[in-house]
Amino acid sequence: MEKIYQELLNEAKKISKNTYSPYSNFPVGACVLYENGNKYLGCNVENASYGLALCAERNAISSAISNGEKSKIKAVAIYSPKQKRCMPCGACRQWLSEFALNGHDTKIILEDDDDKLLILTLDEIFPFGFKFDEK
Ligand code: THU
C-alpha cells in the first residue's frame, strides 16, 4: 500500500508544476484515488480577484465527477513544494467528505520530513463534518 501511496504523492508532485498561482506563489497538486482504481489530478488555479482561487483537491474532485466517476475516494495525496505536510483546507475537507469512504477511512497522504509519508484519515482531520440528512 505504501508504494501506491508514494505513487499518488509523485503524481501530485508532477501536477503541482501546472499550477497557476502567481498571487500566492504557493503551488499545490492533488491526486485522488478512487476505490475502483481510477485516479484524477488537480492543481490550484488563482485569480486576480484573490478570493476566487480554486484549490488543487477540489479541482481533482471536479475532474472526477465531470468524467462520470461514481466510486468513493480511497485516498488523496496533496503536495506543495513550499510546505511539508500540506494539509487540505476546511472547504476541501468538506468536499472530500462528500465522496469519502463510509466511516471516512479515506486516507490523506502528505509528504513529511525526510521525504517520508504522513498518512492520516479524513475521520482524524475532519470529525463532525456537515451532513445533509434529507438526501
Ligand atoms: N490551496 C490548495 O490548493 N489546497 C488547499 O487545501 C489549501 C490551499 C491553494 C489555494 C491558493 O491558491 C494557495 O494554495 C494559497 O492559499
Side-chain angles (χ1 to χ4, degrees), residues 21 24 26 28 44-46 53-57 78 87-89 92:
S21 50
S24 72
F26 192 88
V28 184
N44 55 334
V45 182
E46 298 186 345
L54 284 176
C55 288
E57 302 91 313
I78 305 153
M87 300 289 288
C89 76
C92 287

Side-chain angles (χ1 to χ4, degrees), residues 16-37:
S16 74
K17 297 202 169 94
N18 292 352
T19 184
Y20 178 73
S21 50
Y23 303 103
S24 72
N25 258 310
F26 192 88
V28 184
C31 179
V32 182
L33 172 69
Y34 281 76
E35 262 197 311
N36 58 11

Side-chain angles (χ1 to χ4, degrees), residues 5 20 37-39 43 61 74 96 121 132-133:
Y5 293 155
Y20 178 73
N38 289 342
K39 282 184 223 167
C43 63
I61 294 171
K74 187 170 175 176
L96 285 162
T121 66
F132 192 63
D133 283 334

Side-chain angles (χ1 to χ4, degrees), residues 3-133:
K3 193 163 166 259
I4 292 171
Y5 293 155
Q6 186 59 58
E7 276 168 26
L8 294 185
L9 192 68
N10 292 347
E11 301 230 35
K13 246 181 220 190
K14 239 187 271 166
I15 198 78
S16 74
K17 297 202 169 94
N18 292 352
T19 184
Y20 178 73
S21 50
Y23 303 103
S24 72
N25 258 310
F26 192 88
V28 184
C31 179
V32 182
L33 172 69
Y34 281 76
E35 262 197 311
N36 58 11
N38 289 342
K39 282 184 223 167
Y40 301 88
L41 302 170
C43 63
N44 55 334
V45 182
E46 298 186 345
N47 191 272
S49 178
Y50 293 179
L52 299 181
L54 284 176
C55 288
E57 302 91 313
R58 276 179 283 162
N59 267 341
I61 294 171
S62 293
S63 168
I65 296 299
S66 303
N67 280 286
E69 188 55 69
K70 301 283 186 263
S71 183
K72 297 281 183 194
I73 299 176
K74 187 170 175 176
V76 54
I78 305 153
Y79 173 84
S80 173
K82 291 289 178 78
Q83 191 171 292
K84 298 278 180 187
R85 297 177 293 277
C86 181
M87 300 289 288
C89 76
C92 287
R93 293 176 200 205
Q94 181 70 38
W95 261 59
L96 285 162
S97 83
E98 186 79 24
F99 307 106
L101 295 173
N102 285 338
H104 282 182
D105 193 37
T106 294
K107 302 287 190 290
I108 313 292
I109 316 297
L110 308 171
E111 187 177 60
D112 210 343
D113 292 327
D114 304 322
D115 293 336
K116 288 204 185 94
L117 294 182
L118 174 63
I119 302 169
L120 303 167
T121 66
L122 185 61
D123 191 47
E124 284 177 295
I125 66 162
F126 194 60
F128 308 111
F130 175 73
K131 282 217 173 63
F132 192 63
D133 283 334

